[in-house]
C-alpha cells in the first residue's frame, strides 16, 4: 500500500480502494495485535495474549484488554506524537477493564504482560 495514502485517507477507504482494484494482490499483516479466545486456551496459546509479527509469537497478558487500553499502548509506543496530542482521550480509555485475570501458572513462568 502507498504509505502516503494511508496517512491522509481513512484506512478502510484505502483498503477498499486496493481491494476493488486487485483484491488478490493485497495481504494485510499486523505487526501487533491483541487476542482473547478462552475456548482456544492451551499451553503456548494463552487465553489473553499479544501476537507479535507472527502467529507463533504469543505473549500472555494478565487479562482481556479493553480496546481503549490497547489503543493507548499502540499510540503511546508507536505514534508518540499523536498520542501526546490526544493524551486525555487515550488516558481515559487506558483505565478500562473488560474481564478477570486469565494468566495460568504456566503463563506466569514465562515473560508476560501485567498491568493495574
Amino acid at each position: 500500500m502507498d504509505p502516503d495514502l494511508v496517512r491522509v485517507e481513512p484506512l478502510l477507504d484505502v483498503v477498499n480502494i486496493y481491494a476493488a482494484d486487485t483484491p488478490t494482490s493485497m495481504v494485510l499483516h499486523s505487526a501487533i495485535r491483541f487476542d482473547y479466545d478462552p475456548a482456544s486456551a492451551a499451553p503456548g496459546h494463552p487465553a489473553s495474549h499479544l501476537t507479535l509479527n507472527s502467529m507463533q509469537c504469543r505473549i500472555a497478558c494478565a487479562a482481556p484488554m479493553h480496546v481503549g487500553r490497547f489503543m493507548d499502548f499502540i499510540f503511546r509506543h508507536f505514534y508518540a506524537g499523536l498520542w501526546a496530542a490526544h493524551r486525555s482521550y487515550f488516558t481515559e480509555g487506558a483505565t478500562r477493564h473488560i474481564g478477570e485475570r486469565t494468566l495460568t501458572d504456566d503463563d506466569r513462568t514465562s515473560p508476560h504482560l501485567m498491568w493495574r
Side-chain angles (χ1 to χ4, degrees):
M1 285 191 215
D2 179 350
D4 293 327
L5 188 60
V6 173
R7 289 189 178 111
V8 296
E9 297 294 333
L11 182 58
L12 287 178
D13 290 350
V14 175
V15 169
N16 289 334
I17 289 167
Y18 278 87
D21 184 36
T22 52
T24 59
S25 69
M26 183 175 59
V27 176
L28 297 177
H29 180 76
S30 175
I32 184 170
R33 73 172 192 261
F34 175 78
D35 293 297
Y36 174 61
D37 185 3
S40 296
H45 192 268
S48 300
H49 62 272
L50 283 180
T51 301
L52 302 176
N53 294 325
S54 76
M55 293 179 65
Q56 291 74 36
C57 183
R58 296 181 185 101
I59 300 173
C61 291
M65 192 179 301
H66 187 279
V67 67
R69 186 178 296 272
F70 181 69
M71 295 307 296
D72 176 70
F73 176 83
I74 294 298
F75 276 82
R76 182 185 302 246
H77 296 285
F78 296 99
Y79 306 96
L82 288 171
W83 179 85
H86 303 281
R87 184 179 185 156
S88 62
Y89 173 80
F90 288 113
T91 302
E92 179 184 326
T95 61
R96 297 180 183 159
H97 300 280
I98 64 168
E100 298 298 318
R101 302 273 186 224
T102 60
L103 284 176
T104 65
D105 288 338
D106 188 46
D107 295 336
R108 285 182 185 89
T109 62
S110 296
H112 60 275
L113 297 177
M114 179 68 90
W115 59 88
R116 292 184 184 249

